[in-house]
Amino acid sequence: MSRIGIDVGGTNTDAVLLEDGQVIAALKRPTTVDVADGVRQALVDLLAAAAGHPALRRIDAVMIGTTHFTNAVVERRHLDRVAALRIGLPANAGLPPFIGWPKDLAEMMRGSVHMVGGGHEYDGRVLVPLDRAAVRREAQRIADSGISSVAITSVFSPLTDACEREAAEIVREVMPAARITLSHEIGRIGLLERENAALLNAGLQGLAQRTTAAFARALRDSGIAAPLYLTQNDGTIVQGAVAKRHPVYCFASGPTNSMRGAAFLSGLTDALVVDVGGTTTDVGCLRGRFPRPANAMVEIGGVRTLFRMPDLISIGLGGGTEIADDGHRIGPGSVGFRLPEKALCFGGDTLTATDIAVAAGRIALGDPGRVRRLPGSLVADSLRHMEGMIAEVVDRMKTDAAPIPLIAVGGGSFLVPDRMEGVSQVVRIEHHDVANAVGAAIAQVSGEVDRIFSGVERDAAFDEAHREATRRAIAAGAEPGSVETLDVEDIPIAYLPGNARRVRVRVIGEIARLDG
């Protein structure tokens, strides 16, 4: 099986061609303003690098990871206005949708707010019956306003999704072309955080449609007929058509791809991973070859959310990080993809972390003679400061004092010291600088269910959760016969009646082969 993996970062776009787990060709190119142009050029260059290799005749899939959706929220651009429909009256009106959002983001995305009666109690009992007439009336108001993105949130919908699904049917009757996000498909228990995730997803769906269409055109322009997949936050992939519906699941795909690539290239299943790029350093933890998931709320662009995300800590340190004040100020500014023109070792005028590493003999890059006159104290102090930043965040990521291996990946991994307290060994691997693209290329399809079950026996709850997770994996593009359980979590909930328990099941499978 041959696959192409591409990871579009803020500084570089990396691409690899893999055949049966072996890297046939790999490259790194500066990221372009239009990410699709960068992907198209990366494909052209990758095919040229592998010219004549038999793997090019049997490419089964192209997997792309991108920071495009995250950047849209952080940079406040390319976002749609969203109508928020909350089902929960007469309760839950005190904190309306978009509460607590940064002012500029709320002004950009808040189209209209609508509240109707309905929802369920914490134990699954009906709060009040769904006010269908109100839903239809509010849907007509949304249609009249010209808004086409709708996020529907109901109280305790992860427990029972009946109200959200019925409301969606009514909205579709009134607005057949509407893009609808249901909160129970995105987030977990926690009304505001789940609603926030649904609102962000709804605001990104238009961009996701344009982006996936542009990626598909880039594949066609390159003469590649393989299906397109996008990588997700949990280290797995979904078909481009599925990613268009749930773009928030692709938010943290870059660091996750690096972690999955690190596991694959090193052969380690449990380890810390430090991914040093051109702008940031991301630190995560591998558990069973996959990133450890975050159990706490995650803030994205100033918005509190709670949905499937890896447990990551990011700091402003990378190969392009600017050094000032005689090495006492590291960042947060970075020259990013302008490193080849701005760094001193390339003849530029900006002292960067890469210049310090070249002067210290950590890496051979550019013209070492251009940084030979840097004061020794400046080089030593800067290195000590940067290594301290990495060591601190590594210590924060650990959950116990036992030493654990650390895999250093990314184009800026030369900044990672060879020894750190609490680390048994620092592992440096071949193709470390394109580990993110490798992680994309090896990804599998997943399905996950995180629900509260009440009134059913434990085994029945597990069976139902597993069936639903499997159904979601197949819908996302998994081969039915290849689906297997990755992890299971069972948490009894003592304060709920009816033998209530929270069950989380995640399954993975290989991508389905297309007939013909």
Side-chain angles (χ1 to χ4, degrees):
M1 178 178 287
S2 299
R3 296 178 174 184
I4 290 177
I6 299 176
D7 189 272
V8 185
T11 303
N12 292 301
T13 294
D14 302 331
V16 298
L17 171 64
L18 261 64
E19 183 181 42
D20 298 329
Q22 300 296 315
V23 177
I24 304 302
L27 57 84
K28 183 183 292 286
R29 296 289 183 269
T31 293
T32 56
V33 176
D34 185 331
V35 294
D37 288 343
V39 168
R40 184 179 293 104
Q41 189 59 51
L43 285 169
V44 169
D45 292 348
L46 186 68
L47 296 179
H53 197 283
L56 293 180
R57 296 197 297 268
R58 48 179 183 271
I59 297 174
D60 297 284
V62 176
M63 288 80 163
I64 300 178
T66 178
T67 60
H68 206 39
F69 306 131
T70 313
N71 293 345
V73 175
V74 173
E75 298 172 11
R76 313 304 201 236
R77 57 185 177 86
H78 306 310
L79 298 169
D80 296 333
R81 296 181 70 78
V82 178
L85 175 60
R86 182 190 292 177
I87 305 168
L89 294 181
N92 305 291
L95 297 174
F98 297 100
I99 189 76
W101 283 44
K103 183 178 179 181
D104 59 341
L105 185 59
E107 289 177 348
M108 177 177 292
M109 287 187 59
R110 182 170 50 213
S112 56
V113 171
H114 311 264
M115 297 194 192
V116 300
H120 292 79
E121 298 279 10
Y122 66 90
D123 58 359
R125 290 179 293 123
V126 174
L127 179 65
V128 294
L130 177 65
D131 190 339
R132 297 172 181 82
V135 173
R136 188 173 299 276
R137 184 171 59 248
E138 298 305 315
Q140 189 60 58
R141 289 180 54 200
I142 297 170
D144 293 342
S145 71
I147 295 173
S148 58
S149 295
V150 183
I152 301 176
T153 306
S154 181
V155 180
F156 286 105
S157 61
L159 182 60
T160 174
D161 58 15
C163 283
E164 287 190 3
R165 292 196 179 278
E166 189 169 355
E169 291 177 4
I170 296 172
V171 172
R172 285 194 185 96
E173 290 174 5
V174 178
M175 307 171 58
R179 293 190 292 266
I180 300 174
T181 296
L182 305 182
S183 77
H184 75 272
E185 296 180 346
I186 299 293
R188 298 170 176 170
I189 290 292
L191 176 65
L192 291 180
E193 291 77 19
R194 173 164 41 86
E195 183 176 62
N196 287 344
L199 291 168
L200 287 174
N201 188 81
L204 285 165
Q205 283 182 325
L207 174 63
Q209 289 182 356
R210 296 189 298 272
T211 301
T212 53
F215 287 161
R217 283 195 302 273
L219 262 62
R220 290 195 300 270
D221 293 345
S222 304
I224 298 174
L228 169 67
Y229 293 84
L230 266 66
T231 60
Q232 298 190 109
N233 304 329
D234 62 355
T236 61
I237 51 175
V238 290
Q239 293 172 331
V242 178
K244 288 191 292 188
R245 296 199 304 270
H246 296 151
V248 293
Y249 280 162
C250 302
F251 265 158
S253 63
T256 300
N257 288 342
S258 294
M259 296 178 68
R260 290 280 288 137
F264 179 80
L265 293 169
S266 68
L268 296 174
T269 58
D270 298 273
L272 292 171
V273 177
V274 177
D275 176 22
V276 188
T279 306
T280 62
T281 292
D282 301 304
V283 181
C285 184
L286 287 169
R287 292 284 175 83
R289 300 178 291 117
F290 281 83
R292 183 177 68 201
N295 289 319
M297 286 174 288
V298 177
E299 192 169 286
I300 299 171
V303 178
R304 287 160 56 95
T305 65
L306 184 58
F307 65 107
R308 190 173 69 210
M309 287 283 282
D311 189 7
L312 290 170
I313 301 177
S314 299
I315 58 174
L317 176 64
T321 296
E322 298 170 5
I323 311 294
D325 297 339
D326 294 328
H328 296 290
R329 183 161 63 85
I330 311 292
S334 171
V335 298
F337 61 82
R338 295 176 299 158
L339 182 70
E341 62 184 76
K342 298 293 288 184
L344 296 182
C345 63
F346 292 109
D349 58 3
T350 304
L351 178 62
T352 67
T354 295
D355 295 316
I356 296 296
V358 171
R362 289 274 185 94
I363 186 173
L365 202 63
D367 181 3
R370 296 180 183 274
V371 294
R372 193 166 291 140
R373 294 184 180 180
L374 290 177
S377 58
L378 168 62
V379 174
D381 289 347
S382 298
L383 273 180
R384 185 163 49 249
H385 191 169
M386 290 187 287
E387 290 178 353
M389 293 170 66
I390 294 173
E392 179 185 357
V393 75
V394 164
D395 187 60
R396 288 169 57 194
M397 180 53 61
K398 293 186 63 180
T399 56
D400 57 55
I404 184 173
L406 183 151
I407 311 168
V409 298
S413 58
F414 49 78
L415 297 177
V416 179
D418 289 328
R419 292 180 179 81
M420 274 183 281
E421 188 173 349
V423 172
S424 59
Q425 61 174 326
V426 174
V427 180
R428 302 187 188 273
I429 53 179
E430 188 179 7
H431 304 300
H432 66 89
D433 55 335
V434 291
N436 46 6
V438 172
I442 65 166
Q444 297 166 293
V445 182
S446 73
E448 182 179 13
V449 167
D450 188 344
R451 281 181 52 190
I452 294 176
F453 291 86
S454 181
V456 298
E457 295 299 320
R458 180 176 184 272
D459 290 345
F462 272 103
D463 289 344
E464 184 177 345
H466 187 270
R467 282 195 299 271
E468 176 62 16
T470 301
R471 186 194 66 77
R472 293 184 181 184
I474 294 172
E479 184 71 36
S482 70
V483 176
E484 59 180 316
T485 302
L486 181 62
D487 52 47
V488 175
E489 187 177 24
D490 171 29
I491 305 175
I493 304 177
Y495 61 82
L496 293 183
N499 194 28
R501 61 185 63 250
R502 176 183 174 184
V503 177
R504 186 178 68 86
V505 175
R506 186 159 58 131
V507 301
I508 57 172
E510 297 297 332
I511 59 175
R513 291 184 177 274
L514 299 179
D515 294 335

